[in-house]
Amino acid sequence: MNVDFYHHTLGAEEKQAVSDTLDNLFIALGPKVEEFEEKFADYLGIPNVVATSSCSMSLLLALEALGIGEGDEVITTPMTFVATSNAVLQSGADLKFADIDPDSGLIDPQEIEKQITSKTEAIIPVHLYGQMADMRAVREIADAHDLCVIEDSAQAIEATRDGVSVGELGDMATFSFYATKPMTCGNGGAIAVHNDELAEKLSELRLHGVTKSAADRHGDEYEHWDMDKLGYKAPMTDIDASILMPQLNRLEKQRKQRKDLVNLYREKLGDHPDIDLVKRKGEPSYHLFTVRVDNRDQILSELDEYNIDCAVNYRAVHTLEYYREELGYRPDDFPKARMFGRRTISLPLYPDLEREKVEYVCDSLKEILQ
Ligand SMILES: *Cc1c(COP(=O)(O)O)cnc(C)c1O
């Protein structure tokens, strides 16, 4: 047997949608992007969505729109993809890590409080593996210190926890439509934002700060565009938006398919003495199924011999070379994240993964651990 780590679910509907878009005059930032923004905002129940080229760029644009940069401090978690903390570095702000809750891998609100100073301007909680961070606690801390909250929701479009959904309590939430995410167009992203003025600013910042896009200008008599802020080139395209829209209708069905598979994994692995499951918080999106084991690297290579593709999400960011060599972090600066990251393995998970394959993965892992 051979088990891939991930399969996307793009098919006939998306092919038709792309083909329709290619018949249009506009293929870059145009009416399809606008339609996607409205539909995704409806789905999330948040007034504004600005569609971008990635979650990475969305995080940077979010910080820029809030005016956060040199002299400011931003708190996030070391247990995430490097995109989160890299965006803080790229903004010019000082990065502050807060250690994690060792059972869930999520940022620990008490550790956030320890990192707050008079220079702190924002917190970026990450909804790891599709489980939401404790947003009620994060919002309370942010309100007490007058801080902004940007939710890195790359893995958690559909999640809820404690009666709160993704993006509800944050000032902004950023999303990823990268190839391995539950909804994808290869590369793509979005920012959900409650404040209308910030939405306007984000939408200009994603296109070099110019005041009108080509599609905006089309049809009228020629009008000069101007540029009033220094922005980036990071818009979504109409081609991407047309691939994404059909997937919005499948999100909940596919989340349930993944949930069933996760329940099967948990049933088969839950009481094994050498496997630690990640503690479930709220109702996750079930983006990744990650377990923790000792001698992780050895087990990864043995799983490979069983033709099972796995991934590591993640080694703690502060233990990576750039962070050690250029920024001076030491592995033990955030011991809980370091330990978590030394033991994680993400097992295959996607809507059309067969139950027999999940059983094969579980049986193989148990054999290896014997
Ligand atoms: C995937 C991911 C990102 C980056 O998303 P891109 O769209 O690839 O830029 C950021 N944060 C987290 C937590 C992610 O999982």
Side-chain angles (χ1 to χ4, degrees):
M1 203 178 282
N2 179 21
V3 191
D4 295 324
F5 180 66
Y6 190 73
H7 286 176
H8 69 71
T9 64
L10 306 182
E13 276 187 288
E14 288 76 20
K15 286 180 189 164
Q16 186 59 50
V18 171
S19 166
D20 292 347
T21 296
L22 294 183
D23 288 335
N24 294 346
L25 182 59
F26 287 98
I27 56 170
L29 181 61
K32 292 280 176 190
V33 172
E34 211 168 298
E35 192 184 335
F36 170 72
E37 289 174 335
E38 280 167 22
K39 288 193 165 142
F40 194 42
D42 268 359
Y43 175 92
L44 296 168
I46 294 173
N48 308 285
V49 164
V50 177
T52 66
S53 56
S54 70
C55 184
S56 304
M57 283 307 297
S58 299
L59 288 161
L60 180 57
L61 296 176
L63 291 166
E64 298 256 342
L66 292 167
I68 292 171
E70 227 167 289
D72 301 323
E73 293 177 1
V74 177
I75 299 171
T76 190
T77 165
M79 185 40 61
T80 182
F81 181 55
V82 289
T84 321
S85 46
N86 284 358
V88 176
L89 299 177
Q90 283 151 354
S91 78
D94 288 332
L95 174 65
K96 294 282 162 175
F97 282 125
D99 212 346
I100 58 166
D101 160 19
D103 296 323
S104 66
L106 294 166
I107 194 166
D108 179 346
Q110 287 183 338
E111 298 285 345
I112 294 176
E113 268 180 307
K114 287 189 202 162
Q115 298 298 330
I116 292 177
T117 72
S118 59
K119 291 183 177 170
T120 309
E121 290 293 335
I123 307 169
I124 311 182
V126 175
H127 303 318
L128 191 69
Y129 311 146
Q131 319 220 72
M132 279 180 71
D134 186 348
M135 284 308 300
R136 285 189 185 276
V138 170
R139 186 74 256 177
E140 211 169 290
I141 294 168
D143 287 345
H145 299 272
D146 199 19
L147 310 178
C148 294
V149 178
I150 303 165
E151 298 175 44
D152 183 338
S153 314
Q155 306 185 358
I157 295 174
E158 321 95 314
T160 58
R161 177 176 172 181
D162 308 326
V164 173
S165 58
V166 164
E168 188 175 336
L169 297 184
D171 298 86
M172 300 188 204
T174 62
F175 297 89
S176 172
F177 310 123
Y178 174 65
T180 57
K181 305 290 155 93
M183 183 161 83
T184 181
C185 55
N187 269 320
I191 310 157
V193 51
H194 293 269
N195 181 287
D196 297 344
E197 268 171 53
L198 278 175
E200 190 62 38
K201 204 166 169 188
L202 285 164
S203 135
E204 290 185 15
L205 281 172
R206 79 178 153 176
L207 205 62
H208 279 303
V210 302
T211 46
K212 275 178 190 296
S213 74
D216 290 337
R217 287 183 277 125
H218 176 69
D220 303 330
E221 205 176 304
Y222 189 86
E223 253 184 82
H224 288 297
W225 48 265
D226 209 337
M227 176 200 141
D228 59 6
K229 47 182 90 62
L230 188 60
Y232 296 85
K233 178 71 189 276
M236 183 176 279
T237 71
D238 269 19
I239 297 171
D240 298 326
S242 57
I243 298 175
L244 291 170
M245 279 188 277
Q247 298 175 66
L248 276 171
N249 307 320
R250 300 202 295 269
L251 275 178
E252 187 51 24
K253 181 179 139 215
Q254 294 189 342
R255 189 187 77 89
K256 288 212 177 92
Q257 289 173 315
R258 293 193 304 271
K259 179 177 180 170
D260 285 346
L261 297 172
V262 166
N263 285 339
L264 179 58
Y265 268 126
R266 293 183 81 100
E267 197 181 297
K268 303 244 342 163
L269 301 177
D271 49 17
H272 196 287
D274 300 323
I275 300 173
D276 285 333
L277 301 187
V278 172
K279 188 161 186 203
R280 197 152 29 180
K281 299 280 187 185
E283 186 56 35
S285 66
Y286 298 100
H287 171 53
L288 291 170
F289 182 70
T290 300
V291 298
R292 284 164 297 155
V293 290
D294 292 335
N295 303 318
R296 185 262 319 278
D297 291 351
Q298 171 70 26
I299 288 167
L300 262 183
S301 71
E302 290 188 43
L303 282 164
D304 197 48
E305 280 165 30
Y306 284 79
N307 295 316
I308 298 168
D309 276 349
C310 295
V312 171
N313 307 92
Y314 298 90
R315 291 189 294 157
V317 172
H318 73 283
T319 67
L320 302 178
E321 181 178 329
Y322 179 84
Y323 282 76
R324 282 187 282 114
E325 302 289 323
E326 301 296 325
L327 305 176
Y329 284 104
R330 285 158 305 160
D332 272 333
D333 286 346
F334 307 97
K336 287 177 274 187
R338 179 196 186 195
M339 184 46 83
F340 198 94
R342 284 173 64 157
R343 300 182 69 228
T344 54
I345 296 185
S346 299
L347 303 178
L349 181 66
Y350 37 96
D352 67 359
L353 176 63
E354 296 92 339
R355 291 178 73 84
E356 301 74 61
K357 292 201 171 177
V358 171
E359 288 179 8
Y360 171 71
V361 172
C362 294
D363 293 342
S364 307
L365 182 57
K366 286 178 186 170
E367 247 175 64
I368 293 166
L369 285 168
Q370 247 173 20

